[in-house]
């Protein structure tokens, strides 16, 4: 079933509450069958315990969450659920705390759980939220955002392999701005990498389709999707005047917010995958230990969540429902 | 459109103080009550006129949460001006100014012009930081100071333009080597065509054709 999802352009809205737990590693696949967990009571009880401790959360984080929730595009009722999820996350994961952007992940998650008319307790949604966060832990795990730049370097590596003129053009434009191109390339992709193209997608449905196919398609597929996203803007990028620098790239990619559909991106990413597979260099980039730059005074892993957990790698944590950074 | 100079700005300050709303009001002349969180950095630009010269402002709007400092810091380096913003209704955002200023001074060039902005004056009934406190902080740290409202547009133009005016004055005084883009200033074609670019290297004035 996982392979079928990987080959698809997403799954039915009504199926998401059942299939997402398996896709993010919260529940195991057994051959072609999904084992549906029957321990909802335990989920809810453990969540209730966390929810009872939210008064221990750093008040500055609570203020930030309370300021960000009205800035999250969702209904009033869901905002109450989102606040509860984020606070419980802070209780369980003090090393990560609340990172802006988690509110948008929660927004997608609640749509997946409730958009098809699904109900169920907040506990199950909370653990699912944690599973979704685990799939992008490279973004949250380090105070120097090293995981984001690692993914940017991986995208650059793919571009070097598949489209040398495009990669050279991007280097020329970024180089004109004098930034740390080698360590932090493709700065205009920071947002798309950080939120896995959530803001670039036309709507939440397209975002959910993209994410679920990525989860089903292997640990590096999302990097191929980002690379495909850049390749799809090839004509516009090559037309840019190099000396105008990185601002032009930010402007160009800023205009793409809310414009993308999952199917063409996935198709382009699959073509890249067929052409490249997962190269040794890509594997090396994505698993390399990140060395902090000297000017990042507080750069350190938040807990030990320095490697993107795969469903199989995280399932044991989820079965114990402990912190990812422990 | 050609410009005489391009000035790079960075907008910094705690999350939720209205940085993105100030930028939107300045570039698009509109206010958005609910604005998306800034993830990393975002970008805006607008042309202004100072001393009959077209000046392009290239403005980098940064995320306010501490977690994003490692990316926002890398934008200090090439900035000629910074707008340091706090929210007059939230005292903690004023209390954090020293930390922001330390960060800016550590990572920017020493001649960066900093404008302190107390935003949200439309919420006067919720004011928690007085005008005098803002002015005193600015005086103590050598900053320009204004209170603004991104919602009503009060003083928004002035905040961006007064900063540009101060940078322009510094250029006239020969404070910057404008051929060195690390100061956040770029000489445009319009300045070269008039042949009026003054370039100072280590305090010595000389004329140059500059570069774009």
């Amino acid at each position: 079933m996982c392979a079928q999802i990987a080959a698809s352009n997403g799954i039915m809205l009504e199926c998401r509450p059942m299939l997402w737990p398996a896709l993010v590693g919260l529940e195991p696949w057994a051959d072609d069958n999904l084992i549906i967990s029957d321990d909802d009571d335990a989920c809810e009880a453990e969540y209730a315990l966390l929810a009872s401790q939210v008064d221990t959360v750093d008040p500055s984080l609570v203020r930030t969450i309370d300021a960000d929730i009205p800035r999250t595009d969702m209904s009033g009722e869901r905002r109450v659920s989102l606040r509860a999820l984020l606070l419980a996350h802070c209780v369980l994961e003090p090393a990560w705390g609340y990172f802006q952007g988690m509110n948008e992940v929660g927004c997608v998650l609640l749509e997946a759980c409730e958009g098809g008319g699904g109900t169920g307790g907040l506990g199950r949604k909370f653990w699912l939220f944690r599973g979704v966060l685990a799939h992008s832990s490279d973004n949250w795990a380090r105070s120097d955002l090293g995981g984001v730049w690692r993914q940017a370097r991986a995208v650059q590596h793919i571009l070097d392999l598949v489209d040398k003129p495009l990669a050279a053009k991007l280097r020329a434009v970024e180089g004109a701005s004098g930034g740390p191109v080698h360590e932090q390339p493709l700065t205009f992709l920071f947002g798309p990498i950080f939120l896995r193209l959530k803001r670039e997608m036309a709507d939440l449905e397209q975002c959910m389709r993209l994410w679920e196919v990525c989860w089903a398609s292997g640990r590096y597929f999302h990097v191929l999707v980002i690379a495909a996203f850049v390749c799809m803007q090839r004509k516009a990028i090559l037309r840019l005047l190099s000396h105008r620098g990185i601002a032009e790239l930010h402007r160009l990619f800023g205009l793409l917010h809310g414009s993308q559909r999952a199917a063409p991106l996935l198709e382009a990413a699959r073509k890249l995958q067929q052409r490249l597979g997962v190269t040794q260099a890509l594997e090396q980039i994505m698993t390399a230990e990140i060395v902090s730059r000297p000017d990042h005074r507080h750069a350190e892993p938040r807990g030990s969540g320095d490697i993107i957990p795969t469903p199989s790698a995280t399932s044991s944590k989820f079965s114990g429902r402990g912190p990812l950074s422990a | 459109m050609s410009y005489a100079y391009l000035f790079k700005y960075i907008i910094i300050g705690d999350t939720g103080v209205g940085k993105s709303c100030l930028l939107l009001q300045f570039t698009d002349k509109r206010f958005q009550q609910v604005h998306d969180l800034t993830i990393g950095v975002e970008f805006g630009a607008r042309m202004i006129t100072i001393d009959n010269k077209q000046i392009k402002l290239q403005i980098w709007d940064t995320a306010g949460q501490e977690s994003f400092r490692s990316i926002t810091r890398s934008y200090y380096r090439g900035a000629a001006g910074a707008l340091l913003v706090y929210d007059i209704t939230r005292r903690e955002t004023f209390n954090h100014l020293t930390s922001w200023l330390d960060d800016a001074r550590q990572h920017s060039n020493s001649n960066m012009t900093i404008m302190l902005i107390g935003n949200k004056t439309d919420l006067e009934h919720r004011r928690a930081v007085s005008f005098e406190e803002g002015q005193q902080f600015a005086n103590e740290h050598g900053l320009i100071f204004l209170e603004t409202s991104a919602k009503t547009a009060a003083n928004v133009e002035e905040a961006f333009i007064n900063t540009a005016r101060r940078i322009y004055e510094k250029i006239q005084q020969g404070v910057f080597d404008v051929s060195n883009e690390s100061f956040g200033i770029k000489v445009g074609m319009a300045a070269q065509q008039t042949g009026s670019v003054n370039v100072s290297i280590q305090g010595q004035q000389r004329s140059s054709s500059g570069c774009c």
Side-chain angles (χ1 to χ4, degrees):
Chain A
M1 189 187 292
C2 193
Q4 284 178 321
I5 294 170
S8 73
N9 287 325
I11 55 185
M12 289 170 63
L13 187 56
E14 296 77 9
C15 298
R16 286 189 177 121
M18 184 177 69
L19 293 178
W20 274 34
L23 281 171
V24 301
L26 187 57
E27 288 169 349
W29 301 96
D31 298 326
D32 281 343
N33 299 313
L34 172 65
I35 300 169
I36 303 294
S37 167
D38 57 1
D39 64 348
D40 271 4
D41 288 347
C43 270
E44 297 301 331
E46 288 173 38
Y47 167 74
L49 188 62
L50 294 170
S52 70
Q53 300 169 57
V54 294
D55 56 355
T56 63
V57 177
D58 178 348
S60 70
L61 282 182
V62 178
R63 278 196 297 274
T64 305
I65 289 170
D66 285 339
D68 289 352
I69 285 176
R71 298 201 273 174
T72 312
D73 186 18
M74 61 200 311
S75 70
E77 223 170 272
R78 281 199 197 163
R79 285 178 180 174
V80 176
S81 300
L82 178 62
R83 183 176 191 273
L85 295 182
L86 293 173
L87 288 174
H89 162 77
C90 290
V91 173
L92 182 61
E93 203 82 67
W96 285 11
Y98 168 67
F99 213 128
Q100 288 185 321
M102 286 180 179
N103 59 322
E104 299 205 29
V105 174
C107 170
V108 178
L109 178 277
L110 288 170
E111 174 67 15
C113 291
E114 299 172 0
T119 53
L122 208 49
R124 192 171 168 79
K125 290 167 192 164
F126 174 71
W127 297 110
L128 185 50
F129 173 57
R130 306 259 315 142
V132 177
L133 285 182
H135 267 272
S136 53
S137 70
D138 221 19
N139 296 342
W140 324 106
R142 290 185 59 90
S143 58
D144 62 355
L145 301 166
V148 178
W149 300 118
R150 164 160 56 196
Q151 292 168 77
R153 288 193 294 276
V155 172
Q156 190 174 52
H157 166 69
I158 294 167
L159 296 177
D160 280 336
L161 292 177
V162 300
D163 195 336
K164 284 195 188 326
L166 180 64
K169 178 74 177 186
L170 289 169
R171 279 200 175 84
V173 173
E174 291 206 292
S177 301
V181 175
H182 179 66
E183 294 166 354
Q184 298 182 349
L186 310 176
T187 55
F188 61 96
L189 287 181
F190 184 90
I193 290 172
F194 196 75
L195 290 179
R196 296 277 167 95
L197 291 168
K198 189 253 179 187
R199 290 186 174 177
E200 285 69 24
M201 301 314 289
D203 52 36
L204 285 178
E205 174 63 25
Q206 294 301 315
C207 178
M208 290 187 290
R209 286 174 179 270
L210 187 76
W211 287 10
E212 60 207 12
V213 174
C214 285
W215 297 330
S217 302
R219 63 191 304 193
Y220 304 131
F221 190 74
H222 69 281
V223 178
L224 292 160
V225 171
I226 304 268
F229 172 61
V230 177
C231 289
M232 287 165 77
Q233 320 310 322
R234 184 176 198 277
K235 279 185 184 172
I237 292 170
L238 292 179
R239 277 200 300 265
L240 292 176
L241 298 174
S242 297
H243 71 267
R244 289 193 175 170
I246 193 71
E248 290 296 296
L249 280 167
H250 277 264
R251 187 183 57 78
L252 171 66
F253 279 81
L255 294 172
L256 297 173
H257 280 198
S259 68
Q260 302 294 301
R261 298 190 66 79
L265 270 173
L266 291 167
E267 189 185 339
R270 285 188 194 106
K271 282 182 183 165
L272 286 180
Q273 191 177 38
Q274 283 163 8
R275 188 169 158 191
L276 297 174
V278 172
T279 68
Q280 196 177 4
L282 178 60
E283 177 87 30
Q284 280 174 356
I285 291 167
M286 292 299 288
T287 55
E289 189 178 338
I290 298 167
V291 178
S292 298
R293 289 168 50 198
D295 59 336
H296 292 159
R297 288 174 297 174
H298 308 298
E300 56 188 18
R302 299 166 190 270
S304 62
D306 196 22
I307 293 182
I308 300 175
T310 59
S312 60
T314 57
S315 56
S316 60
K317 286 184 173 178
F318 284 123
S319 61
R321 288 188 278 274
L324 293 164
S325 61
Chain B
M1 188 187 291
S2 63
Y3 53 79
Y5 295 102
L6 181 149
F7 296 164
K8 290 184 187 171
Y9 282 10
I10 180 170
I11 313 181
I12 54 176
D14 276 9
T15 181
V17 297
K19 300 181 293 295
S20 302
C21 290
L22 283 166
L23 176 60
L24 188 67
Q25 182 61 257
F26 180 66
T27 57
D28 290 24
K29 297 189 186 303
R30 64 189 171 94
F31 176 71
Q32 203 171 323
Q33 187 76 42
V34 179
H35 199 288
D36 275 350
L37 286 170
T38 303
I39 298 294
V41 293
E42 287 175 11
F43 166 76
R46 203 187 113 180
M47 204 72 90
I48 61 170
T49 305
I50 290 177
D51 197 18
N52 289 322
K53 290 192 170 56
Q54 290 288 303
I55 291 174
K56 183 171 183 175
L57 301 185
Q58 187 183 87
I59 305 153
W60 295 95
D61 173 29
T62 64
Q65 197 183 27
E66 169 73 25
S67 320
F68 291 103
R69 288 274 182 109
S70 71
I71 180 170
T72 55
R73 278 191 192 118
S74 61
Y75 285 80
Y76 285 123
R77 281 191 283 272
L83 305 188
L84 171 55
V85 187
Y86 67 94
D87 175 351
I88 65 158
T89 72
R90 286 165 56 210
R91 174 155 285 277
E92 74 269 17
T93 67
F94 181 75
N95 294 340
H96 295 157
L97 288 177
T98 309
S99 155
W100 281 106
L101 205 51
D102 287 348
D103 218 37
R105 294 227 155 111
Q106 188 181 347
H107 294 93
S108 66
N109 76 73
S110 57
N111 287 313
M112 183 166 78
T113 299
I114 304 177
M115 163 74 80
L116 178 66
I117 295 178
N119 190 34
K120 306 195 185 181
T121 54
D122 53 288
L123 300 175
E124 184 62 41
H125 57 290
R126 284 168 46 191
R127 179 186 281 275
V129 183
S130 70
F131 178 89
E132 289 72 22
E133 285 175 288
Q135 184 69 67
Q136 187 182 344
F137 185 93
N139 291 343
E140 285 170 2
H141 295 88
L143 317 176
I144 326 170
F145 176 61
L146 272 178
E147 285 193 338
T148 61
S149 166
K151 187 172 185 178
T152 66
N155 273 345
V156 173
E157 290 276 306
E158 289 82 352
F160 285 88
I161 291 172
N162 291 358
T163 307
R165 190 167 284 125
R166 183 65 64 91
I167 296 167
Y168 183 77
E169 286 166 6
K170 286 182 181 175
I171 293 173
Q172 302 301 89
Q173 291 160 8
V175 172
F176 295 115
D177 168 9
V178 292
S179 67
N180 181 349
E181 287 185 17
S182 68
F183 287 112
I185 297 166
K186 209 169 179 178
V187 181
M189 295 299 288
Q192 293 175 55
Q193 282 160 7
T194 59
S196 63
V197 180
N198 292 319
V199 175
S200 165
I201 296 177
Q202 294 173 339
Q204 192 176 13
Q205 294 263 344
R206 70 181 174 87
S207 169
S208 165
S209 61
C211 74
C212 58

